[in-house]
Every structure is written in C-alpha cells, then in structure tokens.
Amino acid sequence: MFTGIIEAVGTLRKLERKGDDIRLTVASGKLDLSDVRLGDSIATNGVCLTVVQQLADGYVADVSAETVSLTGFANYKVGTKVNLEKAVTPTTRLGGHMVSGHVDGIATVEQCLARGQAIEFWLAAPAELARYIAHKGSITIDGVSLTVNEVDGHRFRLTIVPHTAGETTLVDLKAGDKVNIEVDLIARYLERLMRFDTKETQGGVTMEMLARAGFVR
C-alpha cells in the first residue's frame, strides 16, 4: 500500500524483454534504499513492483505481461524518468490517499495550462474508468496522489502546485502524453457493492442504505 506522495524521481537504466514480460533496472536517484530488502514493494510510476535484486543505487524488478498491457511500461525506454515511492509502514504519514499500486489503465493528457505558479492539466480517461472519477475525489497519476478539480464527461482537470511539479515527473507532461491512472479504491468497492446480486446478500445494498452510511447524498 502507498500514499501517492512521491519520494524521488528515478531513471530507467535498462529494460530487458523476456517474452511478453519486462525486467527493469531502475536508478533510484535520492530514494533511501537503506531499509529496502528483497521482496519489498516500490511504486514505480504508480505500479507496485517487487524488488528482485538490490543495487547500490537502484533496484531490479519484473513487470508481468498483464501489467505491461495496462500501463505505460509498454512504451517506456532507457532514460525514461519515473516517480518512486516505497510502501508505507505503520508510522508513515498518510499525506495523500490509499493507493494500491494496481494501475487501472492509461489516460491521455489533452491540455496543459499555466495558472499562476501552478500547472493545470486536462486529461481524458478511458470510458470504462471515467465513472470512478469524481469532483474533489482522489486519483493517482503516474503514482502521484492528486485531487480532481473538475469533471466533464470522461475528461477531468487537475491542478499541480509548484512543489509537486518540482518533485515528480508531472512537470514534463505535455499534450498527447500517456499516464498511468489508478482510481480511488472506495469508488471501486462501492460499485462492487451496488452491483452485487441482492439475492446473495442479506437484504442487499440499496441507495437508502448507502445514504444512511454517508456514502451518497
């Protein structure tokens, strides 16, 4: 589990194709690796990857064909910059939101605008994911926890403050770029509850029940 608060920007040093899978070598930049062990998880551009080999200044991880098909890793190359975050510990500050590192799909940057010191982005999400994106809800973009400021159909607007831009790869985004997105966990589970066959539950989940619990108004 992660928070979407990026700790460092790394660089892809090597990509080895192994059939439909990819083995990555990541130079981890300023990321503190002193407490990282084999088998630990590091979110790499929002994708939860397992460390299979430790290096003095980075790590090696395998990306499965399933993950390649759902993320930007299919198009990454040597030199690509990636956002890095180690998995949370019981004492980690939850400055962002609960992020699983299981990317749902890819969104396209449509527009980049300067708004004072900030950068405003409009992105287009796949139709099957747009329903999970809500005004003032949370979304993860290339591993970065962000707040959705506006929704227009399958399009949504984000505002990136200078600190976030300077500490992540978001500052380099331009129209046409593809980004990994992970929608909010609560939205996915809420939909599952709503769709579940009421015959298999004791009374089922209804809109009235969700309203009483404060999930909807």
Side-chain angles (χ1 to χ4, degrees):
M1 190 64 68
F2 308 91
T3 68
I5 303 300
I6 301 305
E7 298 178 86
V9 173
T11 305
L12 299 186
R13 180 183 293 163
K14 188 176 182 181
L15 292 89
E16 301 174 80
R17 293 277 179 179
K18 294 181 175 294
D20 293 329
D21 301 338
I22 298 175
R23 171 159 286 199
L24 300 175
T25 300
V26 182
S28 54
K30 67 177 184 180
L31 189 69
D32 180 11
L33 298 176
S34 62
D35 60 346
V36 174
R37 302 291 181 265
L38 285 178
D40 283 355
S41 298
I42 298 178
T44 306
N45 253 18
V47 180
C48 178
L49 297 180
T50 300
V51 176
V52 299
Q53 183 180 340
Q54 295 172 279
L55 306 173
D57 59 348
Y59 59 94
V60 177
D62 292 321
V63 184
S64 70
E66 168 74 8
T67 300
V68 172
S69 70
L70 290 172
T71 69
F73 277 102
N75 301 313
Y76 293 169
K77 57 185 182 297
V78 171
T80 295
K81 302 292 185 183
V82 288
N83 296 314
L84 304 177
E85 181 192 356
K86 294 183 291 186
V88 299
T89 66
T91 58
T92 301
R93 287 188 177 91
L94 258 176
H97 70 285
M98 298 302 286
V99 177
S100 70
H102 302 156
V103 169
D104 294 297
I106 296 174
T108 303
V109 178
E110 290 193 334
Q111 197 173 21
C112 308
L113 303 169
R115 287 286 184 264
Q117 297 298 308
I119 306 172
E120 191 172 272
F121 292 101
W122 275 98
L123 299 97
E128 65 272 16
L129 297 179
R131 64 180 179 271
Y132 301 114
I133 302 172
H135 179 230
K136 294 304 177 183
S138 296
I139 193 166
T140 308
I141 303 294
D142 277 349
V144 184
S145 172
L146 297 168
T147 300
V148 177
N149 287 327
E150 187 176 349
V151 176
D152 179 16
H154 69 288
R155 302 170 67 245
F156 61 99
R157 177 171 61 86
L158 304 171
T159 302
I160 313 300
V161 298
H163 175 79
T164 302
E167 294 295 321
T168 70
T169 61
L170 300 183
V171 70
D172 298 320
L173 290 179
K174 59 187 181 302
D177 283 349
K178 308 290 186 181
V179 294
N180 297 325
I181 62 171
E182 180 185 332
V183 299
D184 188 58
L185 285 170
I186 294 175
R188 285 192 299 204
Y189 283 114
L190 184 56
E191 182 189 50
R192 173 60 175 161
L193 285 171
M194 291 292 292
R195 287 189 169 191
F196 198 78
D197 187 351
T198 57
K199 293 181 180 178
E200 297 180 28
T201 64
Q202 296 182 352
V205 178
T206 65
M207 291 299 294
E208 181 183 356
M209 181 189 300
L210 292 173
R212 288 200 305 269
F215 284 107
V216 297
R217 294 180 181 179

